[in-house]
Amino acid sequence: MCRERRMVPLPRIDFRTLLQEETSMRWNFLDQEPEACAVVTRRMELLYLNPSCQSLVPIDWFSRRCFEVLPHEEALCALDCPTIHAVQTAEEISYAEETLRLEDGASMTLGTAVIPLRETGLARAVLLFREKAADTDADAFTTRLLADARELQERVSH
């Protein structure tokens, strides 16, 4: 006796949304940071942005690569980006600097503290961004940003 089998369509699972929700639960404590923070993969895919950082990028930022959504001055910034290099190679907190071109045409220099992550799955680093004014003492700015990044690293590890 042969029975006819009917294929019942299975509901489609939106894995991207599930990943975004899971990532949001893991990193939502960064929403308390007044400065822009991002969580990135080794390939520079954006996993999480706090509200301060979301104001710099389009709405559809999730899982896109940083250089696809941040308004960089150089079209080929990914080829020689110190932040990307630090995310991929740094074992300790490091400093990088980049310039963004805002919608109004103005430039913004960002100091970036790259906080490497260990054993957190897909996430490779937390980026702490701080605007650097032209008249800022460079050494003092870098020292303060790296000190703040060490404090943030303590919160990330808990």
Side-chain angles (χ1 to χ4, degrees):
M1 188 184 299
C2 182
R3 286 202 219 183
E4 185 179 315
R5 296 185 110 182
R6 291 187 187 168
M7 296 295 285
V8 177
L10 296 174
R12 292 198 72 133
I13 298 173
D14 184 355
F15 289 105
R16 181 179 167 144
T17 300
L18 289 175
L19 178 60
Q20 187 170 7
E21 290 171 1
E22 178 185 334
T23 303
S24 180
M25 287 188 294
R26 164 74 169 99
W27 298 104
N28 66 1
F29 72 92
L30 292 174
D31 289 352
Q32 306 309 310
E33 290 296 316
E35 293 176 298
C37 295
V39 179
V40 296
T41 67
R42 181 177 295 279
R43 291 177 23 96
M44 298 307 290
E45 295 149 331
L46 299 168
L47 294 175
Y48 191 82
L49 303 178
N50 70 354
S52 296
C53 198
Q54 287 181 28
S55 67
L56 298 172
V57 298
I59 292 172
D60 64 342
W61 58 265
F62 181 75
S63 77
R64 292 184 59 195
R65 295 170 89 174
C66 69
F67 50 85
E68 296 173 331
V69 296
L70 286 172
H72 286 52
E73 278 202 321
E74 295 181 35
L76 299 175
C77 73
L79 298 177
D80 192 31
C81 178
T83 302
I84 292 174
H85 181 73
V87 166
Q88 294 176 345
T89 63
E91 295 296 322
E92 300 296 325
I93 295 173
S94 58
Y95 178 81
E97 200 167 282
E98 52 196 293
T99 303
L100 302 182
R101 175 70 61 193
L102 305 178
E103 286 182 4
D104 64 3
S107 292
M108 174 194 292
T109 301
L110 288 180
T112 305
V114 178
I115 305 167
L117 300 171
R118 291 175 180 82
E119 302 194 28
T120 57
L122 195 54
R124 171 66 179 138
V126 173
L127 308 178
L128 174 60
F129 299 110
R130 181 171 295 160
E131 184 174 1
K132 182 180 178 185
D135 60 349
T136 301
D137 176 300
D139 290 337
F141 176 86
T142 302
T143 300
R144 185 68 201 143
L145 180 58
L146 293 175
D148 292 345
R150 284 188 289 279
E151 289 177 20
L152 181 56
Q153 184 180 40
E154 287 296 316
R155 290 194 300 280
V156 166
S157 65
H158 291 27

